[in-house]
Amino acid sequence: MKFSRVKRLTSFILICTICLTCGCTRLSFQKTVTPGNSVSGLYFDTAISITAYDDTSLEVLKDTLGRCEDYELIFSRTNENSELYAINHRTGGVIEGDKYTVEVSEDMYNVLNIALKYSKETELAFNPTLGSVIKLWDYHSDNPVVPSEVEIEKALKFTNPYVMDISGELFEETNEHYLSLPMDETIIDLGAIAKGYIADELKDYLQDKGCREAVITLGGNVYCIGCKGGAGYTVGIQKPFDSKGATQMTVNISDSSVVTSGIYERYFETDGKIYHHIIDGSTGYPVDNELASVTVICSDSMKADVLSTALLCMGSEKGLEYAKRDPSIHVIMITRDGEVLDSERNG
Ligand code: ADP
Ligand code: MG
């Protein structure tokens, strides 16, 4: 993952117990729920917090948060000690001719497989092999520059996700997983999927420990466990380009994830033009359409993460069509003009 600065919290929880109904119970069962224990930290340059709305102990929350360190050491593109860094630098494996093969962790195997599935389903709007292009857009720099067309043209040659050859469970009893890649400049970047995977994993871990009501926030990825005593959680959707915390609207959810991808999250401005961090894989440039943000609500946070990025790349028309075909997602788009488009509203 590449995060150039601590992310603003695009979605944030409004601590209130309003709202009439929620997914798992009715108004008559509502009770006021106040936050319990809470922990926060900074991993993959992202502000992370976990707040329980039941009696989950601080120890359990700390253990859950601590797992982020393990995930950073798997999925970070820039951390030199990560599994992904080794893959992208073709170390730690076996090289035969033009082919590099390495044993990968189960987490990496899972994410790469699902990443390939979504590459196909979104017709490459989501592409986990844009690393060679993403690396050219240096949002870290104090004086970021627009890469040259020649550089972009060259980098685009190494963005075919289907060069990844993933094989799992070669030996059933040892449960080994392997990845093969060509010895070229293909770079895997999981910045648009890993946080969703981690949110789902943290949620499962917390629930295994008996937690029934909690909110996990990883930057723009929020997972709400339970239904906050019947009221549901009220999650704010950031007003694009406004001050942190300014909400365009709120949604009330239970047992679901809310993920927002926005072009205002990380960008630089040159000659009055905004260059942001969501890349159109067909051009190598930041996506340039009418959308400012896409929020996806879904019980599967990884799916919400992938699709918030992919639908933003598709644009409003194609993105809404996609959303309406899939009943497991609710999509809210905000255009650069401030218009709200909702996949659950007619029209
Ligand atoms: P955020 O990281 O702000 O939550 P996203 O989930 O939309 O936002 O992921 C954006 C990140 O994913 C970028 O920083 C980059 O690492 C990577 N990325 C950018 N464009 C794409 C794309 N079209 N497909 C897959 N990954 C992308
Ligand atoms: Mg995403």
Side-chain angles (χ1 to χ4, degrees), residues 192 261 305-306 308-309:
S261 287
D305 196 5
V306 167
S308 63
T309 309

Side-chain angles (χ1 to χ4, degrees), residues 87 92 132 195 211 221 236 238 328:
I87 292 170
S132 55
K195 281 196 263 78
C211 175
N221 292 50
Q238 169 80 38
S328 75

Side-chain angles (χ1 to χ4, degrees), residues 38 41 43 57 76 90 98 119-120 136-137 171 187 191 224 237 246 266 304 318 331 344-345:
S38 187
Y43 295 94
S57 70
S76 170
R90 311 292 191 266
D98 185 39
S119 298
K120 274 197 202 101
L136 296 175
W137 294 95
F171 304 94
I187 298 175
C224 297
I237 297 175
R266 250 169 291 151
K318 212 171 155 207
V331 175
E344 292 193 348
R345 272 196 231 136

Side-chain angles (χ1 to χ4, degrees), residues 1-4 7-8 10 46 77 119 122 124-131 134-135 139 189-196 218-221 259-266 276-282 285-287 294 304-310 312-313:
M1 277 173 280
K2 176 171 185 282
F3 303 100
S4 59
K7 278 173 52 62
R8 294 157 38 154
T10 39
T46 300
R77 181 171 65 76
S119 298
T122 65
L124 293 188
F126 167 79
N127 180 344
T129 49
L130 286 182
I134 289 165
K135 176 170 125 187
Y139 306 93
D189 182 295
L190 301 171
I193 183 170
K195 281 196 263 78
L218 296 101
N221 292 50
V259 180
T260 299
S261 287
I263 65 169
Y264 50 85
E265 282 292 342
R266 250 169 291 151
H276 60 85
H277 73 308
I278 298 174
I279 302 296
D280 179 343
S282 65
Y285 285 83
V287 171
V294 173
D305 196 5
V306 167
L307 293 183
S308 63
T309 309
L312 194 135
C313 293

Side-chain angles (χ1 to χ4, degrees), residues 142-339:
D142 288 337
N143 297 305
V145 288
V146 177
S148 73
E149 279 177 33
V150 174
E151 284 175 299
I152 288 181
E153 243 356 270
K154 183 167 175 274
L156 278 173
K157 293 198 174 85
F158 303 102
T159 57
N160 173 11
Y162 305 116
V163 299
M164 292 197 282
D165 182 4
I166 313 162
S167 48
E169 284 146 48
L170 283 188
F171 304 94
E172 243 170 50
E173 64 280 10
T174 50
N175 204 20
E176 291 170 11
H177 313 285
Y178 290 90
L179 165 71
S180 293
L181 279 174
M183 288 296 293
D184 63 9
E185 286 156 54
T186 304
I187 298 175
I188 299 172
D189 182 295
L190 301 171
I193 183 170
K195 281 196 263 78
Y197 179 78
I198 297 166
D200 286 330
E201 291 288 306
L202 297 184
K203 181 258 303 179
D204 288 347
Y205 183 80
L206 271 177
Q207 286 185 324
D208 282 352
K209 297 285 173 195
C211 175
R212 292 290 161 261
E213 305 270 357
V215 174
I216 304 166
T217 305
L218 296 101
N221 292 50
V222 174
Y223 206 111
C224 297
I225 302 174
C227 55
K228 208 175 171 211
Y233 296 89
T234 302
V235 180
I237 297 175
Q238 169 80 38
K239 197 168 188 169
F241 297 107
D242 214 318
S243 58
K244 179 182 155 192
T247 44
Q248 177 92 26
M249 60 185 285
T250 60
V251 289
N252 182 256
I253 62 158
S254 302
D255 284 315
S256 251
S257 182
V258 182
V259 180
T260 299
S261 287
I263 65 169
Y264 50 85
E265 282 292 342
R266 250 169 291 151
Y267 66 91
F268 62 88
E269 227 172 317
T270 301
D271 297 333
K273 202 168 159 40
I274 283 171
Y275 294 95
H276 60 85
H277 73 308
I278 298 174
I279 302 296
D280 179 343
S282 65
T283 64
Y285 285 83
V287 171
D288 192 8
N289 61 27
E290 65 293 344
L291 291 177
S293 77
V294 173
T295 297
V296 179
I297 301 161
C298 179
S299 60
D300 175 343
S301 191
M302 175 157 53
K303 181 174 189 174
D305 196 5
V306 167
L307 293 183
S308 63
T309 309
L311 269 48
L312 194 135
C313 293
M314 287 180 197
S316 56
E317 201 181 325
K318 212 171 155 207
L320 276 180
E321 262 172 41
Y322 187 104
K324 286 180 178 179
R325 282 198 304 271
D326 185 345
S328 75
I329 57 173
H330 175 191
V331 175
I332 295 164
M333 298 174 163
I334 303 175
T335 67
R336 294 187 192 212
D337 295 337
E339 194 190 348

